[in-house]
Amino acid sequence: MKVRTTSLDPSTTNNYSKPTNKNSPRNHTPHAVHPTRTLSLFPFSPTNTSFRSIPKICNTLFSIHFSHVVFFSFLTMTEPPSPQSTEPPLPPPPSPPSTTVIHPRREPFEHGLLPIPKLIFSDPTQTLISFKHKLIELSSNNRVDSVAVSESLQISVEQAKLVLDTIASILPYESESDDTVDVHDLVLFLYIQSYKRLLPRTHKDSAAVADVWPSTSAFDGYLSALSPLQLVRSNSKRFTPSQADEESHQLSYLQKHMANIVSLLAEPVEGESEESLVLTMDRFEHLGLLIQYGDKGSEGNSLSQSSPFFANSDPDMPAVPVPASQVHDWLLENIASALEYIAERTSSKENGPVSASDQDVAMTDASTVSVKVSTSARGASFIEGISKSSYAKHASDIKGSSVKVLNCHESAIYILAPLRYATIYGCSDATIFIGAVGKAVRVEHCERVHVIVAAKRICIANCRECVFFLGVNQQPLIVGDNHKLQVAPFNTFYSQLEEHMNEVGVLPTVNRWDEPIALGIVDPHDSLSHPAGVSDVQTESATRVDPDQFTNFVIPNWLGGESTGSTKDNPFTLPEAYMASQQRNEKNLGEIRQLLREAPLEESRKRELSSALHVYFKDWLYASGNIRQLYYLQGD
């Protein structure tokens, strides 16, 4: 099956799509504009009675200002959007067992891996122990800056700063400083750079998948051999792992490496042999970077207060250090219990009905048509499988601190909420707006997607023909196999945007949208094989959107939020070239509108002009792909 390659104008894609019910019909076949709706856009006509200039006027008007004037005028002539239909609430998910288990923190594994070869060591334990001692001698209060990290790891200062920013984005607490990092957090971060992501597993019906998606190429396993969506949807025999699969894989990694991880934090007892290692409560707390106890994680009690070693410690007295071997045994026992619990839960799901509230739903299969919107008990909301429709979530709809948008196609997704983390995975031909993300955004395996986001940082991996309208405080990171990416400054707002940005710590005064960092084309953290020599190739970076092609993105009024906020305009200042282009376009539009208003014509000539404009407008809707927006509006 060939993937459709219709390109969407970044200024207009789904700007005025009405949110539809998640069970709305998916197939909106374009035939003609709805016969009961009129397109009386202009009551006045120019003096040019031959109308020969109409095509030129229409092209200018429709292509540049569709999102601001033309389509808005159309909407004012139609019925107001019908309210979202109500449905009986889904039955509540089954109560979890009373047993509290250890979970891996997914953030370090999803947002904390950098494809920098010098961060990966053949013998990480011995190398990092000596590295830790060296840095502690150079540090002040066990914290080091990017210069010290650069010199110790023999990487550039720019890469060292990237390391510090990445660690700050995955910590379970707010960092003391953006310019320094705790040595123990640094060594744990460097150790998990050896982690290999889970290979896509064999689909239970491989033959059916092989009939739908293209077969592997001669470079089986090499990212460039397949488009991002082909890789996601699996080639002949692969299937994207579920959240439960990934958690089990992460726990297995921690189980295998926990002895080394504990040794990196432990210290010898003075006057005894080097084998007599102990962990203080402070060192034990650093394990909270990688694991959490219970579903609430960092939002609940600290890791030390959840353990039997330090739970009843007097806060005014230093806790007695605990033998490292005792901590190691306790962690392994809890990880084994967690793995057993996941296996039992997975087995019960396979043998019983799957609920829509399932927090570990697998990413939508190639032939799946259902829409799944669910919330994880550990703080992630999933928006999955939306096709040819619009969908919106507000702050009251988000039950956790992160969102994952998975496998959504030809749709408009609006997330108007403050978040800590956001992931966009396997989407195509869609516009995805995310309000404010205080930690990190990751966009992976997407094609022809327009992403609009205000965030602290963003990572883009293995994407093609995507446009990113960014308000980001740190340099965008581009990794993997990317093609024809474009970046532009942030271009929209909603009433609560500044409030949400302030809540999660995104600064409107800093926008580094046009300073992307491009790393290697091969990610050493995946488990795929790669042809010899490609590891040294730098990934393709992103180009800037031409200022003449830049326009504002308008969020529909009926998605403005639950309450009136103070934001009335784009909180990020536009660069001069983009501001000048926008002002020039607004001026041109004003002149055209003035011409239409002041032209004295007879009623018959006005009707002729109006009809001609309607014809050109409809032709432009089909040619540009914006006709789909009309079908979103009348989808219900």
Side-chain angles (χ1 to χ4, degrees), residues 152-183:
S152 301
L153 292 175
Q154 296 183 342
I155 59 177
S156 67
V157 175
E158 182 184 53
Q159 289 182 335
K161 184 66 170 67
L162 177 61
V163 167
L164 267 61
D165 290 341
T166 303
I167 295 174
S169 74
I170 61 174
L171 289 174
Y173 54 86
E174 291 302 320
S175 177
E176 294 181 16
S177 168
D178 291 337
D179 300 322
T180 62
V181 63
D182 187 282
V183 171

PDB file of all heavy atoms in Angstrom, residues 152-183:
ATOM      1  N   SER A 152      36.484  16.076  30.803  1.00  0.00           N
ATOM      2  CA  SER A 152      36.562  14.704  31.323  1.00  0.00           C
ATOM      3  C   SER A 152      36.126  13.671  30.292  1.00  0.00           C
ATOM      4  O   SER A 152      36.699  12.584  30.203  1.00  0.00           O
ATOM      5  CB  SER A 152      35.698  14.578  32.579  1.00  0.00           C
ATOM      6  OG  SER A 152      36.115  15.482  33.571  1.00  0.00           O
ATOM      7  N   LEU A 153      35.102  13.993  29.493  1.00  0.00           N
ATOM      8  CA  LEU A 153      34.580  13.048  28.505  1.00  0.00           C
ATOM      9  C   LEU A 153      35.188  13.249  27.123  1.00  0.00           C
ATOM     10  O   LEU A 153      34.909  12.464  26.211  1.00  0.00           O
ATOM     11  CB  LEU A 153      33.059  13.180  28.412  1.00  0.00           C
ATOM     12  CG  LEU A 153      32.260  12.742  29.633  1.00  0.00           C
ATOM     13  CD1 LEU A 153      30.784  13.047  29.438  1.00  0.00           C
ATOM     14  CD2 LEU A 153      32.454  11.252  29.904  1.00  0.00           C
ATOM     15  N   GLN A 154      35.985  14.317  26.960  1.00  0.00           N
ATOM     16  CA  GLN A 154      36.614  14.649  25.679  1.00  0.00           C
ATOM     17  C   GLN A 154      35.551  14.837  24.585  1.00  0.00           C
ATOM     18  O   GLN A 154      35.644  14.285  23.486  1.00  0.00           O
ATOM     19  CB  GLN A 154      37.624  13.579  25.268  1.00  0.00           C
ATOM     20  CG  GLN A 154      38.801  13.468  26.236  1.00  0.00           C
ATOM     21  CD  GLN A 154      39.834  12.455  25.780  1.00  0.00           C
ATOM     22  OE1 GLN A 154      39.561  11.607  24.940  1.00  0.00           O
ATOM     23  NE2 GLN A 154      41.028  12.534  26.353  1.00  0.00           N
ATOM     24  N   ILE A 155      34.540  15.625  24.941  1.00  0.00           N
ATOM     25  CA  ILE A 155      33.518  16.007  23.986  1.00  0.00           C
ATOM     26  C   ILE A 155      33.484  17.529  23.929  1.00  0.00           C
ATOM     27  O   ILE A 155      34.087  18.210  24.761  1.00  0.00           O
ATOM     28  CB  ILE A 155      32.124  15.466  24.383  1.00  0.00           C
ATOM     29  CG1 ILE A 155      31.713  15.986  25.772  1.00  0.00           C
ATOM     30  CG2 ILE A 155      32.099  13.947  24.354  1.00  0.00           C
ATOM     31  CD1 ILE A 155      30.332  15.556  26.220  1.00  0.00           C
ATOM     32  N   SER A 156      32.805  18.072  22.933  1.00  0.00           N
ATOM     33  CA  SER A 156      32.739  19.525  22.793  1.00  0.00           C
ATOM     34  C   SER A 156      31.919  20.128  23.933  1.00  0.00           C
ATOM     35  O   SER A 156      31.096  19.448  24.564  1.00  0.00           O
ATOM     36  CB  SER A 156      32.113  19.900  21.445  1.00  0.00           C
ATOM     37  OG  SER A 156      30.742  19.522  21.422  1.00  0.00           O
ATOM     38  N   VAL A 157      32.150  21.407  24.186  1.00  0.00           N
ATOM     39  CA  VAL A 157      31.386  22.097  25.221  1.00  0.00           C
ATOM     40  C   VAL A 157      29.903  22.115  24.850  1.00  0.00           C
ATOM     41  O   VAL A 157      29.025  21.999  25.721  1.00  0.00           O
ATOM     42  CB  VAL A 157      31.914  23.536  25.421  1.00  0.00           C
ATOM     43  CG1 VAL A 157      31.038  24.295  26.406  1.00  0.00           C
ATOM     44  CG2 VAL A 157      33.357  23.513  25.919  1.00  0.00           C
ATOM     45  N   GLU A 158      29.591  22.242  23.557  1.00  0.00           N
ATOM     46  CA  GLU A 158      28.198  22.214  23.110  1.00  0.00           C
ATOM     47  C   GLU A 158      27.542  20.880  23.451  1.00  0.00           C
ATOM     48  O   GLU A 158      26.414  20.837  23.940  1.00  0.00           O
ATOM     49  CB  GLU A 158      28.126  22.458  21.603  1.00  0.00           C
ATOM     50  CG  GLU A 158      26.694  22.501  21.064  1.00  0.00           C
ATOM     51  CD  GLU A 158      26.636  22.641  19.554  1.00  0.00           C
ATOM     52  OE1 GLU A 158      27.288  21.807  18.875  1.00  0.00           O
ATOM     53  OE2 GLU A 158      25.978  23.566  19.056  1.00  0.00           O
ATOM     54  N   GLN A 159      28.259  19.779  23.221  1.00  0.00           N
ATOM     55  CA  GLN A 159      27.714  18.472  23.566  1.00  0.00           C
ATOM     56  C   GLN A 159      27.612  18.295  25.072  1.00  0.00           C
ATOM     57  O   GLN A 159      26.663  17.674  25.570  1.00  0.00           O
ATOM     58  CB  GLN A 159      28.567  17.368  22.947  1.00  0.00           C
ATOM     59  CG  GLN A 159      28.436  17.265  21.436  1.00  0.00           C
ATOM     60  CD  GLN A 159      29.270  16.131  20.858  1.00  0.00           C
ATOM     61  OE1 GLN A 159      30.278  15.712  21.442  1.00  0.00           O
ATOM     62  NE2 GLN A 159      28.863  15.626  19.708  1.00  0.00           N
ATOM     63  N   ALA A 160      28.574  18.827  25.815  1.00  0.00           N
ATOM     64  CA  ALA A 160      28.518  18.749  27.273  1.00  0.00           C
ATOM     65  C   ALA A 160      27.303  19.511  27.813  1.00  0.00           C
ATOM     66  O   ALA A 160      26.624  19.048  28.743  1.00  0.00           O
ATOM     67  CB  ALA A 160      29.802  19.302  27.879  1.00  0.00           C
ATOM     68  N   LYS A 161      27.025  20.674  27.224  1.00  0.00           N
ATOM     69  CA  LYS A 161      25.832  21.425  27.634  1.00  0.00           C
ATOM     70  C   LYS A 161      24.571  20.649  27.286  1.00  0.00           C
ATOM     71  O   LYS A 161      23.590  20.652  28.058  1.00  0.00           O
ATOM     72  CB  LYS A 161      25.812  22.785  26.916  1.00  0.00           C
ATOM     73  CG  LYS A 161      24.661  23.695  27.334  1.00  0.00           C
ATOM     74  CD  LYS A 161      24.803  24.118  28.783  1.00  0.00           C
ATOM     75  CE  LYS A 161      23.810  25.216  29.173  1.00  0.00           C
ATOM     76  NZ  LYS A 161      22.419  24.760  29.155  1.00  0.00           N
ATOM     77  N   LEU A 162      24.579  19.950  26.156  1.00  0.00           N
ATOM     78  CA  LEU A 162      23.445  19.107  25.783  1.00  0.00           C
ATOM     79  C   LEU A 162      23.251  17.997  26.817  1.00  0.00           C
ATOM     80  O   LEU A 162      22.113  17.663  27.179  1.00  0.00           O
ATOM     81  CB  LEU A 162      23.674  18.515  24.391  1.00  0.00           C
ATOM     82  CG  LEU A 162      22.618  17.538  23.872  1.00  0.00           C
ATOM     83  CD1 LEU A 162      21.255  18.214  23.770  1.00  0.00           C
ATOM     84  CD2 LEU A 162      23.032  16.971  22.517  1.00  0.00           C
ATOM     85  N   VAL A 163      24.341  17.427  27.301  1.00  0.00           N
ATOM     86  CA  VAL A 163      24.264  16.388  28.340  1.00  0.00           C
ATOM     87  C   VAL A 163      23.607  16.951  29.598  1.00  0.00           C
ATOM     88  O   VAL A 163      22.695  16.337  30.179  1.00  0.00           O
ATOM     89  CB  VAL A 163      25.666  15.835  28.662  1.00  0.00           C
ATOM     90  CG1 VAL A 163      25.648  14.992  29.936  1.00  0.00           C
ATOM     91  CG2 VAL A 163      26.189  15.000  27.498  1.00  0.00           C
ATOM     92  N   LEU A 164      24.040  18.128  30.036  1.00  0.00           N
ATOM     93  CA  LEU A 164      23.463  18.734  31.241  1.00  0.00           C
ATOM     94  C   LEU A 164      21.984  19.047  31.061  1.00  0.00           C
ATOM     95  O   LEU A 164      21.169  18.791  31.967  1.00  0.00           O
ATOM     96  CB  LEU A 164      24.233  20.004  31.613  1.00  0.00           C
ATOM     97  CG  LEU A 164      25.382  19.848  32.625  1.00  0.00           C
ATOM     98  CD1 LEU A 164      26.454  18.918  32.087  1.00  0.00           C
ATOM     99  CD2 LEU A 164      25.990  21.196  32.976  1.00  0.00           C
ATOM    100  N   ASP A 165      21.622  19.582  29.898  1.00  0.00           N
ATOM    101  CA  ASP A 165      20.214  19.893  29.637  1.00  0.00           C
ATOM    102  C   ASP A 165      19.360  18.628  29.610  1.00  0.00           C
ATOM    103  O   ASP A 165      18.217  18.616  30.106  1.00  0.00           O
ATOM    104  CB  ASP A 165      20.074  20.625  28.304  1.00  0.00           C
ATOM    105  CG  ASP A 165      20.629  22.043  28.358  1.00  0.00           C
ATOM    106  OD1 ASP A 165      20.787  22.575  29.471  1.00  0.00           O
ATOM    107  OD2 ASP A 165      20.923  22.606  27.278  1.00  0.00           O
ATOM    108  N   THR A 166      19.911  17.561  29.049  1.00  0.00           N
ATOM    109  CA  THR A 166      19.163  16.304  28.969  1.00  0.00           C
ATOM    110  C   THR A 166      18.950  15.716  30.354  1.00  0.00           C
ATOM    111  O   THR A 166      17.855  15.243  30.686  1.00  0.00           O
ATOM    112  CB  THR A 166      19.899  15.299  28.070  1.00  0.00           C
ATOM    113  OG1 THR A 166      20.100  15.867  26.774  1.00  0.00           O
ATOM    114  CG2 THR A 166      19.106  14.016  27.934  1.00  0.00           C
ATOM    115  N   ILE A 167      19.984  15.740  31.185  1.00  0.00           N
ATOM    116  CA  ILE A 167      19.836  15.225  32.552  1.00  0.00           C
ATOM    117  C   ILE A 167      18.790  16.027  33.317  1.00  0.00           C
ATOM    118  O   ILE A 167      17.936  15.458  34.010  1.00  0.00           O
ATOM    119  CB  ILE A 167      21.189  15.250  33.281  1.00  0.00           C
ATOM    120  CG1 ILE A 167      22.176  14.280  32.614  1.00  0.00           C
ATOM    121  CG2 ILE A 167      21.017  14.886  34.758  1.00  0.00           C
ATOM    122  CD1 ILE A 167      23.578  14.341  33.179  1.00  0.00           C
ATOM    123  N   ALA A 168      18.843  17.348  33.191  1.00  0.00           N
ATOM    124  CA  ALA A 168      17.856  18.185  33.885  1.00  0.00           C
ATOM    125  C   ALA A 168      16.435  17.858  33.440  1.00  0.00           C
ATOM    126  O   ALA A 168      15.490  17.942  34.237  1.00  0.00           O
ATOM    127  CB  ALA A 168      18.163  19.661  33.638  1.00  0.00           C
ATOM    128  N   SER A 169      16.265  17.452  32.189  1.00  0.00           N
ATOM    129  CA  SER A 169      14.925  17.169  31.673  1.00  0.00           C
ATOM    130  C   SER A 169      14.361  15.840  32.155  1.00  0.00           C
ATOM    131  O   SER A 169      13.146  15.619  32.046  1.00  0.00           O
ATOM    132  CB  SER A 169      14.944  17.180  30.134  1.00  0.00           C
ATOM    133  OG  SER A 169      15.573  16.022  29.619  1.00  0.00           O
ATOM    134  N   ILE A 170      15.196  14.957  32.681  1.00  0.00           N
ATOM    135  CA  ILE A 170      14.710  13.635  33.105  1.00  0.00           C
ATOM    136  C   ILE A 170      14.771  13.437  34.616  1.00  0.00           C
ATOM    137  O   ILE A 170      14.364  12.385  35.112  1.00  0.00           O
ATOM    138  CB  ILE A 170      15.496  12.504  32.411  1.00  0.00           C
ATOM    139  CG1 ILE A 170      16.983  12.566  32.770  1.00  0.00           C
ATOM    140  CG2 ILE A 170      15.285  12.541  30.906  1.00  0.00           C
ATOM    141  CD1 ILE A 170      17.798  11.398  32.248  1.00  0.00           C
ATOM    142  N   LEU A 171      15.274  14.424  35.350  1.00  0.00           N
ATOM    143  CA  LEU A 171      15.323  14.286  36.804  1.00  0.00           C
ATOM    144  C   LEU A 171      13.913  14.249  37.386  1.00  0.00           C
ATOM    145  O   LEU A 171      13.010  14.935  36.892  1.00  0.00           O
ATOM    146  CB  LEU A 171      16.090  15.456  37.423  1.00  0.00           C
ATOM    147  CG  LEU A 171      17.611  15.483  37.204  1.00  0.00           C
ATOM    148  CD1 LEU A 171      18.197  16.776  37.759  1.00  0.00           C
ATOM    149  CD2 LEU A 171      18.279  14.278  37.845  1.00  0.00           C
ATOM    150  N   PRO A 172      13.707  13.475  38.465  1.00  0.00           N
ATOM    151  CA  PRO A 172      12.377  13.433  39.089  1.00  0.00           C
ATOM    152  C   PRO A 172      12.098  14.649  39.961  1.00  0.00           C
ATOM    153  O   PRO A 172      11.017  14.770  40.531  1.00  0.00           O
ATOM    154  CB  PRO A 172      12.436  12.153  39.931  1.00  0.00           C
ATOM    155  CG  PRO A 172      13.878  11.981  40.260  1.00  0.00           C
ATOM    156  CD  PRO A 172      14.638  12.506  39.062  1.00  0.00           C
ATOM    157  N   TYR A 173      13.061  15.540  40.066  1.00  0.00           N
ATOM    158  CA  TYR A 173      12.906  16.767  40.846  1.00  0.00           C
ATOM    159  C   TYR A 173      13.480  17.918  40.023  1.00  0.00           C
ATOM    160  O   TYR A 173      14.155  17.710  39.014  1.00  0.00           O
ATOM    161  CB  TYR A 173      13.646  16.654  42.184  1.00  0.00           C
ATOM    162  CG  TYR A 173      15.102  16.276  42.042  1.00  0.00           C
ATOM    163  CD1 TYR A 173      16.088  17.236  41.824  1.00  0.00           C
ATOM    164  CD2 TYR A 173      15.506  14.937  42.106  1.00  0.00           C
ATOM    165  CE1 TYR A 173      17.419  16.892  41.670  1.00  0.00           C
ATOM    166  CE2 TYR A 173      16.832  14.581  41.944  1.00  0.00           C
ATOM    167  CZ  TYR A 173      17.781  15.563  41.739  1.00  0.00           C
ATOM    168  OH  TYR A 173      19.105  15.212  41.581  1.00  0.00           O
ATOM    169  N   GLU A 174      13.231  19.138  40.448  1.00  0.00           N
ATOM    170  CA  GLU A 174      13.759  20.295  39.745  1.00  0.00           C
ATOM    171  C   GLU A 174      15.242  20.459  40.064  1.00  0.00           C
ATOM    172  O   GLU A 174      15.644  20.411  41.225  1.00  0.00           O
ATOM    173  CB  GLU A 174      12.996  21.567  40.141  1.00  0.00           C
ATOM    174  CG  GLU A 174      11.564  21.599  39.645  1.00  0.00           C
ATOM    175  CD  GLU A 174      11.465  21.473  38.126  1.00  0.00           C
ATOM    176  OE1 GLU A 174      12.299  22.075  37.427  1.00  0.00           O
ATOM    177  OE2 GLU A 174      10.557  20.771  37.652  1.00  0.00           O
ATOM    178  N   SER A 175      16.043  20.641  39.046  1.00  0.00           N
ATOM    179  CA  SER A 175      17.484  20.774  39.225  1.00  0.00           C
ATOM    180  C   SER A 175      17.820  22.059  39.972  1.00  0.00           C
ATOM    181  O   SER A 175      17.145  23.088  39.819  1.00  0.00           O
ATOM    182  CB  SER A 175      18.172  20.766  37.862  1.00  0.00           C
ATOM    183  OG  SER A 175      19.557  20.970  37.999  1.00  0.00           O
ATOM    184  N   GLU A 176      18.883  21.993  40.783  1.00  0.00           N
ATOM    185  CA  GLU A 176      19.323  23.174  41.526  1.00  0.00           C
ATOM    186  C   GLU A 176      19.815  24.267  40.586  1.00  0.00           C
ATOM    187  O   GLU A 176      19.678  25.449  40.867  1.00  0.00           O
ATOM    188  CB  GLU A 176      20.454  22.797  42.495  1.00  0.00           C
ATOM    189  CG  GLU A 176      20.022  21.861  43.619  1.00  0.00           C
ATOM    190  CD  GLU A 176      21.182  21.541  44.545  1.00  0.00           C
ATOM    191  OE1 GLU A 176      22.209  22.266  44.499  1.00  0.00           O
ATOM    192  OE2 GLU A 176      21.065  20.581  45.318  1.00  0.00           O
ATOM    193  N   SER A 177      20.409  23.859  39.470  1.00  0.00           N
ATOM    194  CA  SER A 177      20.968  24.831  38.539  1.00  0.00           C
ATOM    195  C   SER A 177      20.973  24.232  37.145  1.00  0.00           C
ATOM    196  O   SER A 177      21.194  23.030  36.970  1.00  0.00           O
ATOM    197  CB  SER A 177      22.397  25.205  38.953  1.00  0.00           C
ATOM    198  OG  SER A 177      23.044  25.929  37.930  1.00  0.00           O
ATOM    199  N   ASP A 178      20.709  25.080  36.138  1.00  0.00           N
ATOM    200  CA  ASP A 178      20.759  24.633  34.749  1.00  0.00           C
ATOM    201  C   ASP A 178      22.194  24.553  34.240  1.00  0.00           C
ATOM    202  O   ASP A 178      22.435  23.975  33.178  1.00  0.00           O
ATOM    203  CB  ASP A 178      19.962  25.586  33.859  1.00  0.00           C
ATOM    204  CG  ASP A 178      18.465  25.488  34.131  1.00  0.00           C
ATOM    205  OD1 ASP A 178      18.023  24.442  34.640  1.00  0.00           O
ATOM    206  OD2 ASP A 178      17.745  26.465  33.831  1.00  0.00           O
ATOM    207  N   ASP A 179      23.124  25.122  34.989  1.00  0.00           N
ATOM    208  CA  ASP A 179      24.517  25.194  34.534  1.00  0.00           C
ATOM    209  C   ASP A 179      25.402  24.120  35.143  1.00  0.00           C
ATOM    210  O   ASP A 179      26.554  23.968  34.740  1.00  0.00           O
ATOM    211  CB  ASP A 179      25.101  26.571  34.850  1.00  0.00           C
ATOM    212  CG  ASP A 179      24.333  27.689  34.169  1.00  0.00           C
ATOM    213  OD1 ASP A 179      23.903  27.490  33.021  1.00  0.00           O
ATOM    214  OD2 ASP A 179      24.157  28.758  34.791  1.00  0.00           O
ATOM    215  N   THR A 180      24.905  23.392  36.135  1.00  0.00           N
ATOM    216  CA  THR A 180      25.694  22.337  36.770  1.00  0.00           C
ATOM    217  C   THR A 180      24.856  21.087  36.936  1.00  0.00           C
ATOM    218  O   THR A 180      23.619  21.125  36.837  1.00  0.00           O
ATOM    219  CB  THR A 180      26.213  22.782  38.150  1.00  0.00           C
ATOM    220  OG1 THR A 180      25.093  23.060  39.011  1.00  0.00           O
ATOM    221  CG2 THR A 180      27.098  24.019  38.035  1.00  0.00           C
ATOM    222  N   VAL A 181      25.529  19.975  37.217  1.00  0.00           N
ATOM    223  CA  VAL A 181      24.834  18.702  37.409  1.00  0.00           C
ATOM    224  C   VAL A 181      25.498  17.955  38.563  1.00  0.00           C
ATOM    225  O   VAL A 181      26.712  18.065  38.775  1.00  0.00           O
ATOM    226  CB  VAL A 181      24.884  17.848  36.120  1.00  0.00           C
ATOM    227  CG1 VAL A 181      26.306  17.474  35.747  1.00  0.00           C
ATOM    228  CG2 VAL A 181      24.033  16.595  36.258  1.00  0.00           C
ATOM    229  N   ASP A 182      24.701  17.214  39.329  1.00  0.00           N
ATOM    230  CA  ASP A 182      25.251  16.384  40.394  1.00  0.00           C
ATOM    231  C   ASP A 182      26.054  15.240  39.788  1.00  0.00           C
ATOM    232  O   ASP A 182      25.618  14.599  38.828  1.00  0.00           O
ATOM    233  CB  ASP A 182      24.116  15.843  41.266  1.00  0.00           C
ATOM    234  CG  ASP A 182      24.633  15.118  42.494  1.00  0.00           C
ATOM    235  OD1 ASP A 182      25.063  13.951  42.337  1.00  0.00           O
ATOM    236  OD2 ASP A 182      24.608  15.701  43.590  1.00  0.00           O
ATOM    237  N   VAL A 183      27.224  14.984  40.341  1.00  0.00           N
ATOM    238  CA  VAL A 183      28.116  13.960  39.790  1.00  0.00           C
ATOM    239  C   VAL A 183      27.442  12.593  39.765  1.00  0.00           C
ATOM    240  O   VAL A 183      27.598  11.821  38.800  1.00  0.00           O
ATOM    241  CB  VAL A 183      29.426  13.909  40.594  1.00  0.00           C
ATOM    242  CG1 VAL A 183      30.277  12.712  40.174  1.00  0.00           C
ATOM    243  CG2 VAL A 183      30.208  15.200  40.432  1.00  0.00           C
TER     244      VAL A 183
END
